[in-house]
């Protein structure tokens, strides 16, 4: 019997494609690599809308945010082609260790995680923009008196597995909560402080050509970036959509951010 779950939040639906908010901890589809998991977006969405769905891209289990699926084979081919020829603009939010550079272009080839060491690498490119930074007066590492973190906008122009996670590790700013590419003691410190252990990577927005007519469609998760909070700001940050990435709103937006980029993310 399929376990009961809350319905997935639909971000877009027409006769050709559907976009949903994928919760953190859900797999896109069944896999033998995680045989104990019971939450699958494809199965839940098929049951929810009453028709077959076709995956055209993937999000890691720990990543939440915008996930698009096709509703018939022709749409699946068109969307898969758009991803393959890099006609899709992908924007992610990541909470990372330390103060990341204000801007960075990472051209760092990657080989598949399960490939042998002598396997050829594949081109991989990510644009990074630091949106905000913070410094807490608490030590997560005995070498430092404070703990720093950054909120980064990541735009991968290629689609390698774990690309954003691996490129941020390459810059020595791994994503907090990344058990594979991050720092275990730091991840545990943040999990204890926030009361939640998860990968802090959010698929915030996708812009892609519609599979039927090619018009540009922009899909976003609904998560809004609140006004920066400073030591003189007493009020809590706004929460315009309580259903949009509640983990981020409850645990991350309440941190004392110093904003670097004005209006980088949409506000309602």
């Amino acid at each position: 019997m399929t376990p009961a779950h809350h319905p997935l939040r639909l971000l877009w639906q027409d006769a050709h494609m559907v976009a949903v908010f994928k919760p953190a901890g859900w797999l896109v589809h069944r896999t033998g690599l995680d045989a104990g998991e019971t939450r699958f977006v494809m199965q839940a969405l098929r049951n929810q809308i009453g028709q077959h769905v076709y995956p055209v891209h993937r999000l890691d289990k720990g990543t939440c945010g915008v996930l698009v699926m096709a509703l018939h084979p022709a749409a699946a081919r068109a969307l898969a082609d758009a991803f393959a020829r890099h006609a899709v603009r992908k924007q992610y939010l990541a909470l990372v260790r330390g103060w990341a550079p204000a801007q960075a272009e990472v051209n760092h080839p990657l080989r598949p995680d399960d490939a042998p060491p002598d396997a050829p690498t594949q081109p991989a490119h990510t644009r990074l923009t630091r949106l905000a930074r913070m410094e807490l007066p608490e030590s997560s590492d005995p070498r430092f008196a404070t703990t720093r973190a950054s909120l980064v906008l990541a735009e991968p122009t290629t689609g390698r597995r774990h690309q954003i996670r691996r490129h941020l590790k390459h810059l020595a700013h791994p994503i907090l909560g990344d058990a594979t590419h991050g720092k275990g003691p730091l991840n545990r410190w943040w999990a204890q402080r926030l009361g939640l252990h998860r990968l802090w990577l959010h698929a915030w927005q996708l812009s892609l050509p519609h599979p039927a007519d090619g018009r540009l469609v922009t899909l976003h998760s609904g998560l809004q970036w609140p006004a920066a909070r400073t030591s003189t700001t007493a009020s809590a940050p706004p929460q315009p959509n309580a259903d949009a990435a509640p983990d981020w709103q409850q645990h991350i937006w309440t941190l004392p951010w110093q904003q670097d980029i004005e209006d980088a993310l949409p506000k309602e």
Side-chain angles (χ1 to χ4, degrees):
M1 180 179 294
T2 303
H5 301 296
H6 292 296
L8 293 163
R9 183 160 60 90
L10 298 181
L11 305 174
W12 175 284
Q13 184 178 10
D14 60 20
H16 307 282
M17 68 178 188
V18 60
V20 300
F21 183 91
K22 175 196 167 300
W26 285 53
L27 292 171
V28 174
H29 52 73
R30 292 183 183 274
T31 172
L33 299 177
D34 198 342
E37 185 53 73
T38 60
R39 299 167 296 180
F40 310 99
V41 175
M42 282 186 63
Q43 182 177 0
L45 183 58
R46 179 197 65 199
N47 294 341
Q48 183 172 327
I49 67 175
Q51 66 182 104
H52 190 73
V53 295
Y54 301 78
V56 295
H57 71 126
R58 293 182 296 179
L59 294 177
D60 292 342
K61 179 179 179 180
T63 304
C64 64
V66 180
L67 180 71
V68 177
M69 294 194 179
L71 293 179
H72 55 79
R77 288 191 295 270
L79 289 170
D81 177 68
F83 278 95
R85 57 188 172 87
H86 310 305
V88 179
R89 184 182 183 190
K90 299 168 281 187
Q91 295 177 294
Y92 292 74
L93 300 179
L95 180 67
V96 308
R97 167 183 178 255
W99 284 1
Q103 301 279 341
E105 295 265 346
V106 184
N107 273 299
H108 179 62
L110 301 170
R111 62 173 52 87
D113 286 340
D114 55 355
D118 59 348
T121 59
Q122 300 170 316
H125 173 262
T126 306
R127 287 191 295 268
L128 300 168
T129 302
R130 190 184 67 213
L131 301 177
R133 54 186 166 164
M134 67 172 169
E135 185 168 15
L136 300 178
E138 308 165 43
S139 175
S140 59
D141 185 322
R143 297 174 297 172
F144 308 105
T146 62
T147 298
R148 292 178 171 183
S150 300
L151 179 69
V152 171
L153 177 67
E155 299 183 78
T157 60
T158 54
R160 310 306 175 196
R161 187 169 184 260
H162 292 177
Q163 176 175 315
I164 296 173
R165 296 162 64 175
R166 296 167 76 182
H167 275 178
L168 282 163
K169 177 187 178 182
H170 178 69
L171 292 182
H173 294 287
I175 299 175
L176 300 183
D178 188 341
T180 304
H181 305 287
K183 303 288 185 180
L186 182 63
N187 289 344
R188 289 189 289 273
W189 186 89
W190 274 104
Q192 183 176 21
R193 191 185 191 285
L194 297 174
L196 180 66
H197 178 70
R198 58 154 295 178
L199 174 71
W200 290 106
L201 180 63
H202 175 77
W204 171 70
Q205 182 165 286
L206 280 179
S207 295
L208 47 74
H210 192 277
D213 56 22
R215 74 185 187 276
L216 185 66
V217 175
T218 297
L219 309 163
H220 68 82
S221 69
L223 178 64
Q224 309 294 325
W225 171 236
R229 298 181 68 205
T230 67
S231 59
T232 60
T233 303
S235 60
Q239 296 186 6
N241 186 342
D243 294 328
D247 288 355
W248 283 75
Q249 295 191 83
Q250 296 169 15
H251 299 276
I252 302 304
W253 278 184
T254 57
L255 295 170
W257 293 106
Q258 300 174 15
Q259 193 159 326
D260 289 320
I261 304 294
E262 291 292 334
D263 298 322
L265 305 182
K267 303 180 180 70
E268 291 186 342

